Amino acid sequence: MTFSNVAARAAQTTAASRCLTLPSGHSLVTLPDEGQDAFLTKKYDIGAYRDAFASMGLNPTEAWIAATVNYAGSEGWISYSRNNNSYSSAGIGTRTAILGAIEQLEGKGLIDNLPQIPHSPRPKKGTAQSIMRATTKMHEIFRTVVGNNRLPLIRPDPSIILRNRQTKEPMLLLPTTELLEMERKVHACNEAIMSADLPHGAEACMRRIFSGGWDAGGRYYAEGASWQNMKSEARKEITISGEPPVEIDFKAIHPSMLYIMSGLSVPSDCYAVPGWEKERDLVKYGLLILINAKSKKEALGAMQYKMLQGDREKENIRGDAIRIISDIERHHAPISHYFFRDFGITLQNFDSKIADRVLQILLNKGIVALPVHDSFLVARSHGRDLESAMLEAAAQCGFGDLRVEWKWT
């Protein structure tokens, strides 16, 4: 596992990912975080409007890409790959067809396109992916063709993916009773989301994605631009069935799980480490790196990489990285036997089971919830129902000492 993968898992709080370049010639990496650009995916069914788009000069491939970009939400940017390997299993068409359509959309003045060319400057700070966004001309076309109607979402098929952890390719799945039950639950969640009248840019169907086995990963991931890749502040502005939302999360879920698994009380603040009070966010990042790394060397590389993105003096970075990793390890000695064991993917599996139960508890009450992995959004009138469901689900999964926190009301 490269520094990239460790950093990515440590930062993984959203479904989407942004690519960054490591120093010293290392490969491209993914660092998911909220507020990043959603990746291109075939999200909307444009079938009913195909002739109308054709009359505007858009072929079917151009039309569905245009729909995805047009309804990309407040951030507006959609990222896409120029690497042929990215298209083998993406289910959106060939590299030639997609890049050709994007070039046509740019030529027609419908998108701002910032392609990432090898060894060129990054198209936008914080990403090495190619990105595009709709122009005013595109928005005008959609107002003419679609008007105030809503394009139907495409239901993901398959809704459950088990990826080979090395190649990232989907594995062939037999239709077992357990798999069919998981698919039924995802389908029920998607039907509820489609009935919740979410605004464009927030609405999306979901899949569950496992990594290497049924005991690794398994989180719910929204397709394309959605509430998951919105910044926290932007999520406050969406509505669920006409109501403003509330968001509640599990406090420090992965470190807390490790304390519970060790039979210990969970600290009041897992990210309060003596000597680093002014850099709490860096401590949080560092602790998650220790949980996700395969070795201390790998953790050190990931932490140095993280620090290089900040405003630290380069000559101080290695020493600071060594010091913060040692301080975190010493402070959390009671759970240090889980560090440097690539344990994060297992903890994701645990939190995905909790999330699955939260969603089902609420669906049984007719309540739509939007998961952001370790937090959830519901309509404001259902905030107490959500809090109760989260505590109940955590207890059912053996993590009854997890604490929840209202991010905002």
Side-chain angles (χ1 to χ4, degrees), residues 101-365:
I102 290 171
E103 289 175 4
Q104 288 294 315
L105 292 171
E106 182 180 19
K108 295 170 182 176
L110 300 181
I111 60 170
D112 295 321
N113 182 34
L114 300 178
Q116 171 64 24
I117 308 301
H119 311 300
S120 69
R122 294 174 185 169
K124 190 173 73 148
K125 183 178 180 181
T127 180
Q129 282 280 23
S130 300
I131 52 178
M132 56 183 166
R133 68 179 175 186
T135 62
T136 300
K137 184 177 179 180
M138 181 186 284
H139 292 318
E140 290 173 351
I141 285 179
F142 274 80
R143 279 193 290 269
T144 300
V145 173
V146 181
N148 294 325
N149 298 322
R150 300 178 72 87
L151 291 176
L153 293 169
I154 295 175
R155 295 169 176 82
D157 184 23
S159 59
I160 305 295
I161 294 178
L162 174 59
R163 285 180 176 163
N164 181 299
R165 197 169 179 194
Q166 279 68 49
T167 67
K168 309 301 181 186
E169 292 292 313
M171 299 166 67
L172 180 63
L173 300 178
L174 298 176
T176 63
T177 301
E178 292 80 4
L179 177 61
L180 293 174
E181 176 61 13
M182 281 195 288
E183 289 179 336
R184 182 195 67 76
K185 290 180 178 179
V186 175
H187 178 72
C189 288
N190 285 335
E191 291 300 309
I193 288 171
M194 293 171 74
S195 70
D197 196 29
L198 297 177
H200 281 308
E203 61 180 358
C205 287
M206 300 186 294
R207 303 178 193 260
R208 287 190 75 183
I209 301 177
F210 294 82
S211 180
W214 298 117
D215 59 350
R219 285 176 163 180
Y220 281 82
Y221 289 93
E223 294 280 281
S226 75
W227 70 89
Q228 284 188 346
N229 69 289
M230 286 180 169
K231 293 178 180 178
S232 180
E233 288 299 310
R235 288 202 292 268
K236 293 181 182 180
E237 303 304 318
I238 70 175
T239 55
I240 302 174
S241 300
E243 283 191 54
V246 294
E247 182 171 358
I248 306 176
D249 73 353
F250 287 108
K251 289 188 64 176
I253 187 169
H254 284 182
S256 297
M257 282 179 164
L258 296 182
Y259 274 94
I260 293 168
M261 291 165 62
S262 301
L264 302 170
S265 297
V266 178
S268 59
D269 186 352
C270 289
Y271 306 128
V273 173
W276 298 91
E277 291 82 1
K278 295 182 179 180
E279 297 192 83
R280 188 176 184 280
D281 287 346
L282 192 62
V283 170
K284 177 179 180 178
Y285 198 91
L287 179 53
L288 297 181
I289 282 175
L290 268 60
I291 293 170
N292 284 280
K294 284 185 177 179
S295 66
K296 185 173 288 191
K297 179 181 179 181
E298 196 171 62
L300 178 61
M303 179 54 75
Q304 288 180 91
Y305 169 62
K306 174 66 174 176
M307 288 180 168
L308 276 169
Q309 298 173 60
D311 54 5
R312 268 183 164 75
E313 296 293 332
K314 288 188 177 181
E315 58 268 22
N316 297 332
I317 284 178
R318 179 172 175 81
D320 286 350
I322 292 173
R323 187 163 60 88
I324 193 170
I325 285 176
S326 297
D327 288 349
I328 294 172
E329 188 177 9
R330 185 182 311 110
H331 186 72
H332 288 291
I335 59 169
S336 61
H337 52 289
Y338 286 108
F339 295 165
F340 316 122
R341 288 176 50 189
D342 189 22
F343 206 68
I345 196 72
T346 300
L347 294 176
Q348 282 188 24
N349 186 253
F350 296 158
D351 71 46
S352 77
K353 291 177 179 176
I354 294 174
D356 184 58
R357 295 201 183 194
V358 170
L359 296 175
Q360 301 310 312
I361 290 169
L362 293 174
L363 274 181
N364 288 338
K365 296 180 178 181

